[in-house]
Amino acid sequence: MGNVKKVVLAYSGGLDTSVILKWLQDNYQCEVVTFTADLGQGEELEPARKKALQLGIKPKNIFIDDLREEFVRDFVFPMFRANAIYEGEYLLGTSIARPLIAKRLVEIARKTGADTISHGATGKGNDQVRFELGAYALMPNIKVIAPWREWDLLSREKLLAYAEKNGIPIEMKHKKGGSPYSMDANLLHISYEGRHLEDPSAEAEESMWRWTVPPEKAPNKPECLDLEFKQGDLVAINGKKMKAHELLAALNQIGGKHGVGRLDLVENRYVGMKSRGCYETPGGTILLKAHRGIESICLDREVAHLKDDLMPRYASLIYSGYWWSPERKTLQVLIDHTQQCVNGWVRIKLYKGSVSVVSRDSKTDSLFDSTIATFEDDAGAFDQKDAGGFIKLNALRMRIAENARIKRAAKDKGASKKR
Amino acid sequence: MGNVKKVVLAYSGGLDTSVILKWLQDNYQCEVVTFTADLGQGEELEPARKKALQLGIKPKNIFIDDLREEFVRDFVFPMFRANAIYEGEYLLGTSIARPLIAKRLVEIARKTGADTISHGATGKGNDQVRFELGAYALMPNIKVIAPWREWDLLSREKLLAYAEKNGIPIEMKHKKGGSPYSMDANLLHISYEGRHLEDPSAEAEESMWRWTVPPEKAPNKPECLDLEFKQGDLVAINGKKMKAHELLAALNQIGGKHGVGRLDLVENRYVGMKSRGCYETPGGTILLKAHRGIESICLDREVAHLKDDLMPRYASLIYSGYWWSPERKTLQVLIDHTQQCVNGWVRIKLYKGSVSVVSRDSKTDSLFDSTIATFEDDAGAFDQKDAGGFIKLNALRMRIAENARIKRAAKDKGASKKR
Amino acid sequence: MGNVKKVVLAYSGGLDTSVILKWLQDNYQCEVVTFTADLGQGEELEPARKKALQLGIKPKNIFIDDLREEFVRDFVFPMFRANAIYEGEYLLGTSIARPLIAKRLVEIARKTGADTISHGATGKGNDQVRFELGAYALMPNIKVIAPWREWDLLSREKLLAYAEKNGIPIEMKHKKGGSPYSMDANLLHISYEGRHLEDPSAEAEESMWRWTVPPEKAPNKPECLDLEFKQGDLVAINGKKMKAHELLAALNQIGGKHGVGRLDLVENRYVGMKSRGCYETPGGTILLKAHRGIESICLDREVAHLKDDLMPRYASLIYSGYWWSPERKTLQVLIDHTQQCVNGWVRIKLYKGSVSVVSRDSKTDSLFDSTIATFEDDAGAFDQKDAGGFIKLNALRMRIAENARIKRAAKDKGASKKR
Amino acid sequence: MGNVKKVVLAYSGGLDTSVILKWLQDNYQCEVVTFTADLGQGEELEPARKKALQLGIKPKNIFIDDLREEFVRDFVFPMFRANAIYEGEYLLGTSIARPLIAKRLVEIARKTGADTISHGATGKGNDQVRFELGAYALMPNIKVIAPWREWDLLSREKLLAYAEKNGIPIEMKHKKGGSPYSMDANLLHISYEGRHLEDPSAEAEESMWRWTVPPEKAPNKPECLDLEFKQGDLVAINGKKMKAHELLAALNQIGGKHGVGRLDLVENRYVGMKSRGCYETPGGTILLKAHRGIESICLDREVAHLKDDLMPRYASLIYSGYWWSPERKTLQVLIDHTQQCVNGWVRIKLYKGSVSVVSRDSKTDSLFDSTIATFEDDAGAFDQKDAGGFIKLNALRMRIAENARIKRAAKDKGASKKR
């Protein structure tokens, strides 16, 4: 094992990272610093502190941070400005949290003089890439320990045995069962992978979903929300201004109640294989729809199309862990520039799993001009005759080509007749 | 007025195109050929024949064609292979029908020796562009008469007056009211524009929608469908093979029953203004979701991403009337090539307005490899250590950059100290 | 003819725009303001003033502006930050000057209270589009008179007749011959179109070229230049700092001497036809090469590739007259952001028509790390073993696909044997 | 060391791969098969056979193949159909040869029952990726030994010592010096890396270049070539039809004579660092220019622009070793489709390092229409008035936006006055 002085561990307080904590101490004989983040995953964090203390971590080496506001304001919202969707469906709920954790790991490493970071992501997934690319970009000489790529505790049984042998408290849920899925949650979403889901032809069990009611059990009456945007970011719901993370939490609560935001898909991991995942993103699903709605009246057509053309690339960068890369930042500059004029409100209707935009307006930035668009008499605002020339010139290259073809065909025919 | 010999008119049998018919006869003193297509819009076509005869069209000059199969097989399905969506939302229901009408207009012009075509699309919309670009591409020297760009009958009142003066039968619905919207329907969708909708901040009336029940009135039990795909095209529903247009009609019927496929949006017209439209695309909404589902296990990641990157461009081409352009055909060659391996089935769940994929598989082309993807012990199918090198090299350029920055900052600091 | 109060005419002082001046006075009975710009085309501007006076323009209505600095600093250099090339070859010399003229026409219209602008570009070319799109974008209700699209003076003979009839001074070169080509010149280039060149299979005459010596007559000794860049812009030649337009003028002079920058091509006009043009862009040819050279050590790979991917779109926007569009400005924001770190020098070698980069460096922003790149022993700076994992994971999706294919082929074979 | 039965080694006969041969025998105790390809690198191959025999390879295990025709016809020419250039400059001479070698390695592995391949590419370069991605794609379970990533012979001294100790014949050039550069040659190019070049601010020595004369020593008279293309591929030079590889060899000879095709650049390797390389690609440089020339009259504008937009992606795929990937093949289908109409001839002028197109034509596929393009009277072929409408509608969205801005500014001003 390499020479490691002090390691900052991304520590959830759960079984896996507790085993890693112990394993790092034993195998690297190094000081361990734990970092536990509140990203809105909806779990108590103080138990993580207690457990870390039990495992011998010094109080000054335990970091527990509430990152909810930063997460939504500086990561989730900028991403939604781009209408980012990976592979047509996935709202990047896990992907967007990792760069913030990477940033904080590095900050704590700097503060504590650590030379190494460690995390509990497997060697088969995207998260290792997201953690490590972020860390390397921000602190190029940091060392990384990814225990799942190194150790031999590759099955749950071995992990539990190691835990018991080392006196690591195992919660009931692990002994008795608990969720069989590999899950990840933060303010943007909760995800499920593994077990039963590893067969993409098998349907997910209803009992798996945690954040949303089944659409069948959602209220029988639709609910409408007025969402207000400023420079592309949500700033108020039904007239009530809140902080970024409060807004998202509120959308999650309302969306979850209406069964909004479930997704079951097969995605392509950056490390090369396909994987099946299920996601609940109630607030994000609403936000994306609404953001497109406000953009639809505020953005110039060609700017909107440019954004659409670049979106899959931007989404792939985030999915693959390149948040801190110069190319993602470069694209963000473009995207943010386009959002200056994205101001106004959108009315959203939620009902039994579906979200729809029913109206929208912008007092300051609407490009909708009803005097031009109308089918009624427009008093000369638009000269319909212009369209003739517009079409004629747009058709010209095709007409030239077809005429050339016809001329040649005629000539060939003439030539073949003469023979 | 230019010199016109014989004109083929895209004739619906409705008031507008009947007035145009008469107006063409009067203003151009030319022979008129009428062409009425069944694209699955759900209207009787024989009345159009009767009306044309009444207006003095010779029987041999009346063309009424059932184009439903060709429409879905050669236009709708190829477009869905690309997962085409315009501006993030619109499924291109009107756009995709126009090129077929253009093609048929030109064919009839050739057959009847006509030198001109005419249509009832306004000078402010996209349809004029779609008709005319198509016609020019296929028959470069065809002449086009677009009465809305020429005449002065610019309000409904003037139109009705002209009709009455010329003995054109006006149906009750026009006199008494009928739908106030400008509508277009075919097997893929029905659209609404105009009137009430011209204010994007006003909600659409429930009474406007015609194809779908309101989600609130949809069945209380979800319904699942098994959709089978071959080379990217739908070929069977619940095991029942049908022709392309029958499949789409069936999806429309089921989707409509479940309140699926409503859309209310502001879009950017090719002629330069924003416009608000409402659409019902029940079958298409299901089809798109299912097609993405089957692609998710059959397509290589990078091929799928290439398609996603090109999709907005392809969709814009269709929206803007470039179906018959060489660039659309070139993109189609690429898209069709990717669909050879898109074979398998998808299970779709419909419920009160929402569509979701719940499972999918491909016996012949699945790229999903559960031995690789599993979170369980994979018996060495995937060497997790490879991920370390993968990440390291992907991070290298960012590490070099940050190290260079640090080195220079240190040097600058050293230099400034010396001073 | 429409109602026009006062018109600002882009006036070169040449025959065509002098005829237009008179024609405007006669046909629109309006006051004419002339605007003549020095963009470095290398012609005296005072004769234009004299001619305008002769044609009855009031002194206060004659604007003659030296726009050379603004042209190169705010138009040419920003464009070169993008390495813009249209259709693989054309450096956009004419295209980039038009938006500045449009801007100035509008400014003068505002200042003089004019309601209309006019220009001498034909109805078949790109320049009309560039002038007018610019003007409309900056002053949406401006009126435009494009005489070539309106009048009947469509041949040179008619034009000369009109001039003589109206006492417009015709210079000797027009009477006796002069250049038979349609030419345009500014600090970035000189272009030739028309006549002899209208047959793309005919070679251009040597006598046509004006700015560059034939490579055969260029000096027999190569010349090297050290070009220094700051934030992507050229700031000094051989250590001598100059203003933007002085730098470009100097490069033109040196490049021309060495026969650098001739181009003969067939391009696709925005209005729909192909056209053959010849161009001399000595300074621009050097600048592009050098700019790519400095970027090669300063830009991150993925940022550079992003720029390369967007470049053709950016170049097309400029070619087609969309400089003042929101989408061009949006792209510019991205491009300019990337140039912050483009600082350093490039050594260029010129010889008989060719330009090559022979060395380059950046003290402040080089990302070239010789300790990593070296083929010699690098003392562990790069762990070659990482490459194995990098390749393995990048190959994974292809290996899974091929393995799946093999497995199925084997199964099919097995199945067919059993039958 | 892993379990290896039989290994196919890409064997040049040079020192490095001879040492690898011996090292494989010693360290893996496996049977070695050697494969030496003639790709037009201009070296005798029989010495490689002799050396292999000396090192104990069985005659049946020695493969020496002339791949020149296949190389140019199936790899180089398809790539040139795309006008592929990496990072604005590099013609991909090394990149395009690797996939063919990978293919042949795998074919020989299949034929000889080998389970492993090996090559002499370093762990820092692109070639290892190109070899291995190709091999994995074509034979997913092949094993790869890349000695440079495994062994400790990391300096030239150690390598020479190992050779002498093991009786491997060392040629004079290695003892006495020879070229100090790391070189690679095939019919498309010769490349130089390493040593002196590792400082990008140092100029390359004139003595380094091998294929081209210095432009200064090239003939004092230009030479013209008529190149004929069929479906995008070169088929004849000056009327003389030849096979693909003969044509490229002929272009190399002529181009080299005129000093054409030298390139000195810093490029971004796929493995993450920048590297400086020098290249001579005389024939390729001519071919690219000529291919763009013939495309300029045969390709539709939008098809050409689509190709230009996709080109950097296609070039990056080849550079990074993805020739055998499904995405490269998918792009190739598109590119090849566009080349059906690329037929005709181009006249090229070569002079002291520069290449230029002077004329071009296509009897069968020209889209150049002089009656439309002419500046002279076109007898009504093009109605200039159409341009007015074309511009008006293209400007519409910008005018609406600016008018909206003005209206709001006026209102705000009004509002602020009232206060």
Side-chain angles (χ1 to χ4, degrees), chain A residues 38-40 65-73 187 245:
Chain A
D38 185 357
L39 292 163
D65 299 327
D66 181 351
L67 301 177
R68 290 175 302 164
E69 185 171 359
E70 184 179 2
F71 174 51
V72 180
R73 186 191 59 212
L187 263 168
H245 66 292

Side-chain angles (χ1 to χ4, degrees), chain C residues 77-83 232-233 291 295 307 335-336 339:
Chain C
F77 276 13
M79 179 174 80
F80 273 80
R81 290 176 207 146
N83 302 318
D233 289 345
H291 185 258
E295 283 196 339
K307 282 190 69 204
I335 290 159
D336 290 354
Q339 301 295 294

Side-chain angles (χ1 to χ4, degrees), chain A residues 123 274 299 327 384 397, chain B residues 123 274 299 305 327 384 397:
Chain A
K274 288 183 183 291
L299 276 194
E327 64 272 24
Q384 303 208 18
R397 64 190 166 91
Chain B
K274 289 183 183 290
L299 276 195
H305 291 194
E327 64 272 24
Q384 301 208 16
R397 63 190 167 91

Side-chain angles (χ1 to χ4, degrees), chain D residues 8-9 11 32-38 45 48-49 52 57-66 104 107-109 111-112:
Chain D
V8 187
L9 171 65
Y11 183 61
V32 176
V33 177
T34 63
F35 159 54
T36 310
D38 185 356
L45 303 188
R49 185 190 306 277
I57 306 303
K58 299 178 203 159
K60 69 163 185 177
N61 278 345
I62 299 176
F63 289 78
I64 296 186
D65 299 327
D66 181 350
R104 198 68 193 119
E107 285 169 356
I108 295 172
K111 187 179 283 192
T112 60

